[in-house]
Structures are given as structure tokens and as C-alpha cells.
Amino acid sequence: MRRVKYKKVRKVQPNYFEYTGIHKSDPVEMQLFVYNDQGYEEYKNVDLIRVQKEIQDDAQKEDVKWLNVHGLHNIELIKQVGELISIDNFIISDILNTTRRSKMEELDDVLFFSIKSILPGEDYEHVHVEQISFLLKDKLLVSFQEKKSDFFTHIRERIKTHSGIVRKKKNDYLLYLLLEAVMENFFITIEYFEDRIEELMIEAKTSDKPTVLVQIEKNRENLNFLKRSILPLRDALFNLKSIHEDDDYDGIEKANYTFFARLHQKSLELLDQIEYDMNTLDSASNFYFSSQSHRMNEIMKILTAVSVIFMPLTFVVGVYGMNFEFMPELKYEYGYYTVVATMLLITIGMIVYFKRKKWF
């Protein structure tokens, strides 16, 4: 479990390749899909020789090819993949540098997309962060994941079963499906934290423990982190609209820009939901402080009432506690009982008066 702090981005030089992530235990594997409207082929644990053969096969020139790379710590292999599809070194550097913000780059015949995938951790204080990168070129789409995951399982099944229009479309539509799958993780994460936010709202109304305020602040930090992750994605999706009018780039079909516009709208919905949840946390925090202030006022009101009740009693006791030799009441047979009764009547009278005034 980790967080990505953009203010501490590793400054890796364009020609220097270094994987900055933490997933280094599992071996790097590649999976290749080659499909069209009539059929598909799947190659598991494929090597670069096979990938090169499939890409350069003239018989499959019009087929869509999806190469999915699981793992980034084999730097030499990632470099070879980049050389195979002829992309610039700084793109390879950005793929390996997982501390960078989400971004989109249009480079002649290549479209590069980098996005953060975020899922909730085992508790409400952490999130799982993984960088996923995409390269769109000709009929090829390459996706780079830091580790094996099931984000795209349903898309693979759609390709295998010919469900929907995925096999009728080109690789730009496949890119849309992959981006949509990653964005669904944001919705899952937000819904996960919303459950905790509802609990905090209840606790803020019923509990006076300071740990409630600590939990509110931690959840606010998590939402701020999600917001900082979505903002560059929103900007990247918005920039795709500018490509719409670019005649020099035809990697995305004109008819498919509508799908990417949907993703941009989803990013706005995510930001709106985060803003709503943050306002809810602000309300919980304000309610907590108001509740604490109200409890303190109630305590002070009771203490003040008790103090006011004892003030005349103290005065009476003080008067008869003076050491004067000649006090008329000292020789009175029922003087003690009279004073005690008077003090009792004063107490009852003040309590009745306070009750009528609704002071407690």
C-alpha cells in the first residue's frame, strides 16, 4: 500500500531508464491478442520474437493487435518493446517512472497515455496505486501494467466471445475500453470511502472521542489524493478534443471521439462526487465541533446554576458564622431549624425559577 506524492517526483533523465515502482517480485510476462471481426488469437507468455512476427505479418496487417505487458522491472525488455514499435526514449522513461502525473502525449503516429489506477486498501487509511501506460500506433495497442491484475478480464472475455462491438472496431476503441476499466476503479474507491464517511457522520453526532476528528482528517486526505490523481486525467481527456481537428493525426477515428468525450464526462462526475464527499466531511467536522461546544455549554450551564443556588446559602452561612457575641438569633430555641428551613426554601425557590425560565 502506498501513496504517490507528486511533489516528490523522481527526476529521471530521458535517456536514463529506471523503474521507480515497488512491484519487482513477479517475473515480467506479456500477453498478445490478435483479432478482427471474424476471429481472434491469444498468445500467453509470448516472447518478443513472436510479437514481432505477428506485427509484421502482412496477412494480419489490418488485424487489431493488443500487447499487454505485466511488470516493468525488466527494463531491458521494456526497452526492446519500445525499439520494436519505434518510440522515443523519453516515452520509455515515462513508462518506467511511476511517480509522474497522468498525462497524454501525441507524437506524430503515436498516442501515449499514462494513468493512475487506484483501489482501496485493507483499511480506510491507505489506497493501492498502480501506473498503467498505453501506446497507440497503427493497428497496435500496447498496455504496460506494474503487476498482474484483473482490471481487463472482462474486456478479454468480450474479445473471446465477440460480445459488443469491440472486434468490429479498431484499437482506438479498445483503448477507450481499457481507460474506462481503469476509471471504474476510481468509482469503486470513492464508493468505498463514502461508506466510511457515512459512519463518520453518525459518529460525529454521537461520539465525543477525539479519534473521530482524526478519522475525518485522514479521509479528507484520501479524497484530496484522489482529486489530485483525477485532475491530470481530466485534462488529458480534454486535450483529446484538440486532436479531433488535427488532420496530421488519424490514430483515433473521428466517430470514436464520442467515446473519449464520455470518459471526460466521467472524470467530471468523479470530481463532482469527490467535492460532495469533501463537503460532507466538512459538515461532519463542523458538527463535531458544534456538538463539543454544545456539550461544554450544557456542562457550564449546570455548573453555573449550582453556583448561583449556593451563593445565597453561602451568604446565610457566612452571616451566622461570624463571631459576634451578641446576635439575637443565637439564643433563639428554634433558630437552627429556622435557618435550615429558610435555606431549603431558597434552594427550592431558585430551582423552580430556573425551571420556569428553562435555564436547565
Side-chain angles (χ1 to χ4, degrees):
M1 293 178 288
R2 61 188 177 117
R3 294 181 182 273
V4 174
K5 298 183 179 180
Y6 295 125
K7 64 182 180 180
K8 295 182 180 180
V9 173
R10 293 285 301 277
K11 296 182 179 180
V12 180
Q13 297 300 321
N15 293 322
Y16 180 73
F17 305 105
E18 178 187 0
Y19 172 57
T20 59
I22 62 174
H23 304 286
K24 301 179 180 180
S25 57
D26 297 330
V28 178
E29 295 181 0
M30 296 190 298
Q31 181 187 37
L32 177 66
F33 270 94
V34 180
Y35 65 87
N36 54 32
D37 193 19
Q38 285 71 41
Y40 80 96
E41 293 178 321
E42 179 184 6
Y43 303 94
K44 297 181 179 179
N45 298 328
V46 66
D47 56 27
L48 275 178
I49 297 176
R50 184 66 182 183
V51 173
Q52 183 177 13
K53 180 180 178 181
E54 294 295 325
I55 293 176
Q56 297 176 353
D57 188 355
D58 292 335
Q60 300 181 130
K61 185 177 181 180
E62 297 300 319
D63 294 347
V64 176
K65 304 165 187 69
W66 173 25
L67 176 63
N68 193 22
V69 181
H70 297 284
L72 300 178
H73 52 279
N74 189 340
I75 298 175
E76 190 60 34
L77 178 60
I78 304 302
K79 288 172 58 178
Q80 291 175 2
V81 172
E83 293 171 357
L84 178 62
I85 57 180
S86 302
I87 60 173
D88 293 333
N89 287 339
F90 80 92
I91 295 294
I92 297 296
S93 179
D94 285 347
I95 293 172
L96 295 172
N97 189 357
T98 60
T99 61
R100 290 192 177 277
R101 289 162 54 96
S102 299
K103 63 182 295 187
M104 188 272 294
E105 292 277 356
E106 176 202 354
L107 303 168
D108 297 329
D109 60 342
V110 176
L111 181 66
F112 171 65
F113 223 113
S114 177
I115 184 175
K116 303 294 181 186
S117 174
I118 298 179
L119 282 171
E122 288 74 16
D123 53 35
Y124 291 102
E125 299 183 9
H126 300 86
V127 290
H128 293 292
V129 183
E130 178 186 352
Q131 177 168 293
I132 302 178
S133 303
F134 303 98
L135 288 171
L136 185 72
K137 181 177 182 180
D138 300 328
K139 302 296 181 180
L140 175 66
L141 175 63
V142 185
S143 55
F144 298 89
Q145 297 180 246
E146 289 191 68
K147 60 184 180 65
K148 277 192 173 183
S149 58
D150 56 357
F151 301 157
F152 308 139
T153 301
H154 65 289
I155 300 176
R156 297 187 184 96
E157 291 300 318
R158 289 176 65 175
I159 294 174
K160 294 176 183 179
T161 59
H162 205 335
S163 300
I165 60 174
V166 58
R167 278 175 38 185
K168 297 179 181 179
K169 291 285 188 176
K170 302 301 181 183
N171 56 347
D172 54 347
Y173 181 77
L174 177 61
L175 174 62
Y176 155 73
L177 292 178
L178 299 180
L179 290 174
E180 182 185 43
V182 176
M183 290 186 68
E184 285 299 318
N185 294 339
F186 284 100
F187 284 102
I188 294 172
T189 304
I190 291 175
E191 290 176 1
Y192 178 81
F193 283 114
E194 283 179 343
D195 293 338
R196 178 54 178 162
I197 291 172
E198 292 179 3
E199 296 175 2
L200 287 173
M201 280 294 295
I202 297 174
E203 292 180 15
K205 296 176 181 178
T206 59
S207 175
D208 58 352
K209 296 180 179 178
T211 54
V212 175
L213 191 60
V214 173
Q215 290 299 318
I216 289 175
E217 291 303 316
K218 286 182 178 179
N219 279 270
R220 185 182 283 112
E221 290 176 4
N222 285 326
L223 290 177
N224 273 320
F225 173 73
L226 287 173
K227 183 177 180 180
R228 289 188 295 117
S229 300
I230 296 172
L231 282 173
L233 174 61
R234 178 205 62 183
D235 296 339
L237 291 169
F238 179 79
N239 289 337
L240 278 176
K241 297 180 180 179
S242 63
I243 301 179
H244 196 341
E245 307 299 330
D246 189 353
D247 294 333
D248 296 331
Y249 181 78
D250 58 356
I252 298 178
E253 295 181 357
K254 300 296 184 181
N256 290 338
Y257 277 99
T258 305
F259 298 113
F260 292 95
R262 293 179 188 175
L263 294 181
H264 179 255
Q265 184 61 36
K266 281 190 174 184
S267 68
L268 297 178
E269 293 174 5
L270 287 169
L271 291 172
D272 288 342
Q273 190 61 43
I274 289 176
E275 288 295 331
Y276 174 81
D277 292 335
M278 292 183 69
N279 289 335
T280 302
L281 285 176
D282 289 338
S283 298
S285 180
N286 293 335
F287 194 94
Y288 176 82
F289 285 118
S290 298
S291 178
Q292 291 293 91
S293 178
H294 177 72
R295 291 191 184 97
M296 184 60 65
N297 290 338
E298 288 295 316
I299 294 173
M300 294 303 298
K301 184 168 65 175
I302 293 173
L303 293 177
T304 302
V306 172
S307 300
V308 170
I309 290 173
F310 274 91
M311 284 177 64
L313 304 183
T314 305
F315 172 77
V316 173
V317 172
V319 169
Y320 288 99
M322 293 185 294
N323 296 319
F324 291 113
E325 183 176 353
F326 300 102
M327 291 184 68
E329 294 83 1
L330 291 178
K331 303 298 182 178
Y332 182 57
E333 181 179 0
Y334 300 104
Y336 171 77
Y337 301 104
T338 302
V339 172
V340 171
T342 302
M343 294 172 63
L344 182 61
L345 289 174
I346 291 173
T347 302
I348 295 174
M350 295 187 70
I351 291 175
V352 172
Y353 180 78
F354 291 160
K355 283 289 186 180
R356 287 184 177 180
K357 291 291 186 178
K358 298 181 179 179
W359 288 353
F360 68 88

